[in-house]
Amino acid sequence: MTLREFEYNHSRIVLKSSPLVYQIELTNACTMKCIMCPRRLMARPIGYMDEGCFKNIIDQIEGINTHVLLHHFGESLLHPKLYELLVYLKNKNIKSGLSANPTELSQEKIEAICRGGLNELILSIDASTDSTYKSIRGAHADLDIAMKNIDNIIAYKKKFSLHNPVITVQLVKMKKNESEIGDFKRRWNIPGIGNILIKDFYLWSRSDESIRKEALLSKKVAFFPCAFPWFSVVILWDGRVVPCCNDYDGLYVLGDLKEKTLKAIWNDSSMLELRRQHIKNQSESNKLCFGCTVKIGHRPCRFYPFTLNLWFISRKSSS
């Protein structure tokens, strides 16, 4: 059992462990208008992470994180310094993952992520027909361009005998595309694609009716403390720190890296209050956590060595 798991199982509020950084948002800019994405509700300004801010984060997590995801609520391929950021991570021996829309995967970006050392690339397609693709991701989505770009990166990797990035194609399962899942799996069961991921769709905080009607399943809220406040944080493009990957609009800001270190934020007052809310199941006043249907964890037990199967603990990264 790790120290983080011990502190979660024993409902500790002040922690001796250090936080993992789950995601770093390089930008919240995006060309897509996906029906399942809460960006339409986003009130915070659009921006791009400063290179100095990024390096400050990486310097703080060196020796703590083994890998990190470089996306949150934006299209990271749009960041003008993507290659430089990837190289900095690689030089720090931290592995990187990135989720992107293949429509933005130009030849320049293919070269940047392959030469920069990206370890994993998740490409969101969500359909096997162009009409469904556009209905889900907006008018900018183009299935022919997406497929051509994916073929191009596979060809580039083959040309230079590259193992990385490992490519995952992803479909978020909804009513609109449920009938196309079989064709999607068959289309991408090809050499060069490492994984095919069919991902469940779930609701965000403040999701409106147009979003809710696309969900296939209604998930019940689990009454146990979410493990994220004991394990990790997410960092927005402007350096603000939030609790998890569901915080698309800075709904619960823990601190600002322009003012404090990650270590200080990890046991600051906002973080302590968040842990208290989860332990006591009292998140009614928390607009991020109240009603959340995607908690990770279990009911803590002091006497048995339960292990949490969280991606950043158990996941095997490509070498």
Side-chain angles (χ1 to χ4, degrees):
M1 180 187 294
T2 67
L3 177 58
R4 295 184 187 94
E5 291 170 325
F6 177 87
E7 291 175 326
Y8 173 80
N9 281 316
H10 287 254
S11 300
R12 297 291 168 82
I13 293 178
V14 178
L15 307 186
K16 295 181 180 180
S17 61
S18 299
L20 295 162
V21 172
Y22 182 20
Q23 292 178 171
I24 300 174
E25 182 183 69
L26 301 187
T27 180
N28 62 338
C30 188
T31 58
M32 298 289 182
K33 296 188 181 298
C34 306
I35 60 174
M36 65 286 199
C37 180
R39 290 187 78 261
R40 70 181 77 178
L41 306 172
M42 189 184 292
R44 59 191 173 103
I46 303 298
Y48 297 82
M49 180 168 283
D50 176 79
E51 190 172 357
C53 178
F54 181 84
K55 290 181 177 180
N56 175 41
I57 296 166
I58 303 309
D59 290 346
Q60 291 189 58
I61 67 174
E62 185 179 9
I64 299 173
N65 270 64
T66 57
H67 59 279
V68 67
L69 295 175
L70 301 179
H71 61 259
H72 185 44
F73 280 95
E75 177 54 76
S76 295
L77 292 179
L78 299 178
H79 197 288
K81 294 280 189 177
L82 181 58
Y83 170 75
E84 289 83 355
L85 304 186
L86 287 172
V87 169
Y88 195 79
L89 262 179
K90 184 179 180 180
N91 290 340
K92 293 288 186 176
N93 294 314
I94 299 175
K95 295 177 180 179
S96 53
L98 181 70
S99 181
N101 289 292
T103 307
E104 302 296 337
L105 196 61
S106 65
Q107 192 63 33
E108 178 186 4
K109 294 301 182 182
I110 288 173
E111 293 178 8
I113 62 178
C114 289
R115 290 173 49 237
L118 183 70
N119 294 92
E120 181 179 10
L121 178 63
I122 304 169
L123 296 172
S124 300
I125 306 174
D126 298 323
S128 59
T129 63
D130 188 61
S131 59
T132 302
Y133 189 39
K134 281 183 167 61
S135 72
I136 291 174
R137 293 198 169 258
H140 186 71
D142 187 305
L143 189 58
D144 288 338
I145 293 176
M147 291 193 296
K148 178 182 177 181
N149 290 347
I150 295 173
D151 289 340
N152 286 343
I153 190 172
I154 292 173
Y156 187 92
K157 286 179 59 184
K158 184 177 181 180
K159 179 180 179 180
F160 293 99
S161 302
L162 300 176
H163 175 69
N164 290 329
V166 175
I167 299 172
T168 295
V169 291
Q170 175 178 282
L171 178 146
V172 178
K173 185 169 60 175
M174 291 175 284
K175 292 176 182 177
K176 284 181 179 291
N177 60 13
E178 188 177 19
S179 63
E180 298 183 12
I181 291 175
D183 288 339
F184 181 88
K185 290 179 177 179
R186 285 186 289 271
R187 167 64 180 87
W188 297 111
N189 185 23
I190 59 174
I193 299 298
N195 304 288
I196 300 172
L197 178 61
I198 308 301
K199 186 177 180 181
D200 287 335
F201 169 69
Y202 56 87
L203 300 176
W204 306 95
S205 173
R206 290 159 41 197
S207 294
D208 59 24
E209 185 57 33
S210 65
I211 297 175
R212 291 178 182 276
K213 70 180 182 181
E214 295 299 334
L216 288 168
L217 299 173
S218 178
K219 297 184 179 181
K220 295 181 179 180
V221 178
F223 293 101
F224 54 72
C226 181
F228 278 114
W230 280 262
F231 283 83
S232 67
V233 294
V234 169
I235 303 175
L236 305 181
W237 71 265
D238 57 3
R240 291 183 297 160
V241 181
V242 295
C244 72
C245 56
N246 296 313
D247 195 342
Y248 57 88
D249 207 22
L251 300 174
Y252 195 99
V253 176
L254 300 169
D256 192 327
L257 291 177
K258 294 188 292 292
E259 302 169 358
K260 297 180 180 180
T261 64
L262 273 171
K263 185 176 181 180
I265 291 171
W266 191 231
N267 281 312
D268 208 356
S269 57
S270 294
M271 192 79 242
L272 302 185
E273 175 58 25
L274 183 64
R275 294 188 189 117
R276 289 191 190 96
Q277 289 177 4
H278 279 271
I279 289 169
K280 297 180 180 180
N281 193 30
Q282 295 177 347
S283 60
E284 293 86 352
S285 61
N286 185 329
K287 56 186 175 182
L288 171 65
C289 299
F290 183 64
C292 176
T293 61
V294 289
K295 289 182 181 179
I296 296 175
H298 55 69
R299 191 177 298 280
C301 179
R302 296 170 183 265
F303 307 108
Y304 298 95
F306 287 124
T307 297
L308 297 173
N309 186 28
L310 302 179
W311 78 270
F312 38 73
I313 293 174
S314 63
R315 191 182 193 188
K316 294 182 179 180
S317 299
S318 54
S319 57

